[in-house]
Amino acid sequence: MSAPTDLPTRIPTDLTDEQLPEVLGRSLAGLYSGEARLPARPGGRNAALKALGAFTGKDYGARNHLLSPVSRLSMYLRHGMISPLEVAQVVRAGSRRSDREEFLRQLAWREFFWLVLRQRGAAVLSNLEEPKYRAQWSPDLPADVREARTGLPCADAWVTHLTEDGYMHNHERMWFAAYLIHWRKVDWRAGYAFFREHLLDGDLASNALSWQWVASTFSGKPYMMNQENIAKYSAGKWCDGCTAQCPFKGSYEQLQEKLFGWKA
Amino acid sequence: MEGVSTANGPVIVWLHGDSLSPTDAALSAHPQAPALFVFDRPFLSSHAIAFTRLAFMYGGVRDVAAARPGLTELRVGSVSAELAAFATEHGAAELHVTENPTPEFGSILSGVRERCPGLRVVIYPAERLSSYSGQVNKFFGFWNKVQSEVLGGGELFRDQDAPRPQPESERRPRDHRSDRNRRR
C-alpha cells in the first residue's frame, strides 16, 4: 500500500531535541497516541553507551526489590542500540559472581523469548497453552486501570510509571499483569497492547510471552502475589498507611482459592 | 566506493526497529551504502503507540545518520513500498538487512520482492548471547543448554577475558532466498 501523495513521507534525521516534538509530531500526525513530547530517557547509540557505562551490575542479585539497582538497559537492547554481547561483556568484567550470573540469566530470558518468537511466529499472540485455571477474561482494558484511578495506590503508581516514564520495574510489571489478569479478569492481550503502547522496551517476544507466563498460557501455573509480597519488595512504599480496600491481602492459599478456585 | 556495491551491483541497507545502531551487522558491513528506516504507517494507523516510543526510536535513527558516512534516510509509509522505491531510486541490486524474528519481517521482504523481483535480499545474523538455535519450549531446558556459554564457563570464567563479538569479516551473511523454509 503506498502512502497518499498529500502526506509527508520524508523526515529529517538531524532534528534537535527542541525541534523533535513539533516536527516529528507533525510528520506523524494521526499515527501516535499521547502528547508529542520527548521520552523520559533519550534513545540512540550515544545514550545507550552512556547508560551502559553507568551500569556495573553491582547488587543486581537483589533485583526483585524495587529499591535495588537494575540496569534500565532493556530499551536500548530492544532497539539494537546496544547488543547483548556488549552488555554481557561489561557485566562479566565488573561484578560479583552472584550478581553477574543473575544478570546474565535475565539476559538469557530475553534470548529465550526471541527464539520462541522465531520458532512460533504470530502464534505468540494467541494462547500457547490452555490456562491452568478456569479463566473467564474480558477483552478490554478497564478505563479506571488505563487512567490510573483504580483507588489502589500501588496499581495506580504502576500505571503512572508506565505511561509517564515508558518504563516499569520488572516486579511492577509482574504485579500489574497478575492484578489485571487474575483480579480484574482481563485478557492478557489487553495488557500486552497497553504495554506495547507505552513501554520504551516493548517488543513482541518479551512482552507477549511474559504476559502469557503470568496468565499461565506459557507456564505451569498462574503467577500471583499477595500484599505481603508487594510490601516486602517495595519497602512498604504503598502499603504503609494505605486505607484502600486491599484485594491482595491474604495467604497464597486463600488467594488461590478465591482467584482460581483451588482448594488448599 | 567501498561498501556501496558488491559484485552484483549497488547495495542499500534496511534499518529496522531492532537495528538502530551504526554497529548493526548489515549497516557496518556497508558504511557507505544508502540506508533507510521507515515508520510503518499502516501499522501505526491501526495500533496505539505513544509518541514517546517513536521519539525514542527517532533518537536511534539520528545517531545512526550522524555516525555513518553513507546516506541515512527516514520516511513514513508502507515499509515494503518505501524500501522498493528506495531500491529503485538508488539502482540497487541488493538489499542488506539484519535478521529480525517478527512475522512482519518476512512479510515486508515478500512485499519488497514482489515489487522488485530482481533485488537480491541478504540477511545478516542478529548478534546473540548464545549460539543455540534449536527448538525451545521451557526456559529451564534452554538455560541448561546455554548456561555454560552464557556465563562464560562459570567458575572457569573468573580469570578469563569476556568473549568478544565475532569480527565483521567472519560473519556469514545469508541469502534469504536460499532459506525460505526456516521462517514461517
Side-chain angles (χ1 to χ4, degrees):
Chain A
M1 187 173 83
S2 296
T5 52
D6 58 336
L7 294 172
T9 60
R10 297 184 191 211
I11 302 171
T13 57
D14 59 353
L15 298 175
T16 63
D17 280 352
E18 289 70 32
Q19 295 169 317
L20 198 157
E22 186 190 341
V23 179
L24 189 63
R26 199 167 53 234
S27 300
L28 298 176
L31 299 178
Y32 61 84
S33 68
E35 179 194 352
R37 62 176 171 89
L38 293 176
R41 288 178 181 74
R45 174 72 175 167
N46 296 331
L49 290 176
K50 193 173 169 188
L52 182 59
F55 180 63
T56 63
K58 187 174 183 299
D59 296 333
Y60 187 80
R63 67 181 180 89
N64 279 332
H65 200 292
L66 264 51
L67 299 181
S68 293
V70 290
S71 75
R72 299 198 173 213
L73 294 172
S74 53
M75 60 198 76
Y76 302 111
L77 282 162
R78 187 266 176 254
H79 289 297
M81 294 165 183
I82 44 172
S83 78
L85 285 178
E86 286 178 303
V87 175
Q89 200 161 357
V90 165
V91 171
R92 284 165 177 159
S95 54
R96 284 186 313 196
R97 181 183 173 191
S98 57
D99 293 329
R100 179 175 74 224
E101 293 194 355
E102 181 56 21
F103 185 85
L104 292 169
R105 202 169 68 91
Q106 293 304 314
L107 263 189
W109 267 102
R110 182 179 174 276
E111 178 141 314
F112 169 70
F113 289 146
W114 191 95
L115 285 166
V116 173
L117 174 60
R118 192 167 75 168
Q119 191 176 299
R120 305 292 296 265
V124 303
L125 287 172
S126 303
N127 288 348
L128 290 174
E129 301 163 12
E130 287 299 311
K132 306 307 182 293
Y133 67 100
R134 196 183 297 274
Q136 289 186 314
W137 296 325
S138 57
D140 299 321
L141 189 70
D144 66 307
V145 174
R146 173 176 288 281
E147 294 160 12
R149 48 175 184 81
T150 65
L152 301 174
C154 54
D156 291 346
W158 304 332
V159 171
T160 303
H161 292 165
L162 173 68
T163 56
E164 294 298 315
D165 300 340
Y167 181 82
M168 295 167 90
H169 186 285
N170 189 57
H171 219 152
E172 292 182 324
R173 298 181 195 208
M174 291 165 62
W175 291 331
F176 176 73
Y179 167 63
L180 190 68
I181 299 168
H182 307 317
W183 272 269
R184 300 297 300 265
K185 304 191 185 307
V186 175
D187 192 298
W188 64 265
R189 278 158 285 217
Y192 159 81
F194 192 37
F195 275 17
R196 180 185 60 199
E197 180 176 358
H198 294 285
L199 280 178
L200 297 179
D201 61 23
D203 73 1
L204 176 55
S206 296
N207 189 10
L209 293 167
S210 296
W211 276 93
Q212 295 224 42
W213 187 84
V214 172
S216 76
T217 54
F218 188 52
S219 60
K221 61 178 184 179
Y223 167 81
M224 58 169 290
M225 71 292 181
N226 64 6
Q227 185 266 337
E228 195 180 337
N229 179 272
I230 296 170
K232 176 182 174 184
Y233 286 102
S234 64
K237 68 186 287 187
W238 300 297
C239 301
D240 294 350
C242 179
T243 56
Q245 186 78 28
C246 180
F248 309 123
K249 274 190 176 157
S251 67
Y252 278 88
E253 290 74 18
Q254 289 168 332
L255 291 173
Q256 282 171 348
E257 181 172 353
K258 179 181 163 193
L259 299 173
F260 311 134
W262 295 350
K263 299 285 183 193
Chain B
M1 275 189 295
E2 182 191 347
V4 174
S5 298
T6 67
N8 291 316
V11 169
I12 59 164
V13 179
W14 173 23
L15 186 59
H16 54 64
D18 285 11
S19 64
L20 295 178
S21 168
T23 58
D24 170 68
L27 271 181
S28 56
H30 299 282
Q32 302 276 2
L36 179 66
F37 178 87
V38 183
F39 280 119
D40 188 336
R41 187 186 298 277
F43 177 83
L44 294 173
S45 299
S46 56
H47 297 76
I49 302 292
F51 181 84
T52 44
R53 289 207 64 187
L54 305 178
F56 188 85
M57 294 169 75
Y58 179 88
V61 179
R62 181 171 62 185
D63 281 0
V64 167
R68 63 192 299 271
L71 170 74
T72 303
E73 262 197 38
L74 173 56
R75 298 184 182 181
V76 52
S78 153
V79 182
S80 54
E82 293 296 338
L83 282 170
F86 194 67
T88 303
E89 287 161 28
H90 292 279
E94 296 187 354
L95 168 68
H96 288 225
V97 61
T98 302
E99 179 183 15
N100 176 312
T102 63
E104 290 80 11
F105 183 71
S107 59
I108 287 168
L109 288 178
S110 296
V112 174
R113 208 175 284 108
E114 278 172 23
R115 291 173 168 90
C116 300
L119 189 70
R120 181 171 175 256
V121 175
V122 178
I123 300 177
Y124 292 67
E127 196 167 280
R128 300 247 320 270
L129 192 61
S130 79
S131 54
Y132 183 76
S133 280
Q135 289 288 109
V136 287
N137 186 26
K138 300 292 183 194
F139 175 75
F140 294 105
F142 167 71
W143 180 238
N144 285 335
K145 290 187 175 72
V146 304
Q147 67 173 322
S148 60
E149 182 183 3
V150 170
L151 298 179
E155 280 296 314
L156 291 175
F157 170 76
R158 205 173 272 280
D159 298 318
Q160 294 176 10
D161 289 333
R164 294 183 180 282
Q166 197 179 6
E168 302 297 343
S169 59
E170 292 175 20
R171 288 187 181 147
R172 294 172 57 201
R174 198 156 40 76
D175 186 337
H176 191 249
R177 290 175 299 186
S178 65
D179 195 21
R180 279 185 182 169
N181 295 328
R182 194 177 59 73
R183 187 174 287 107
R184 298 144 158 289

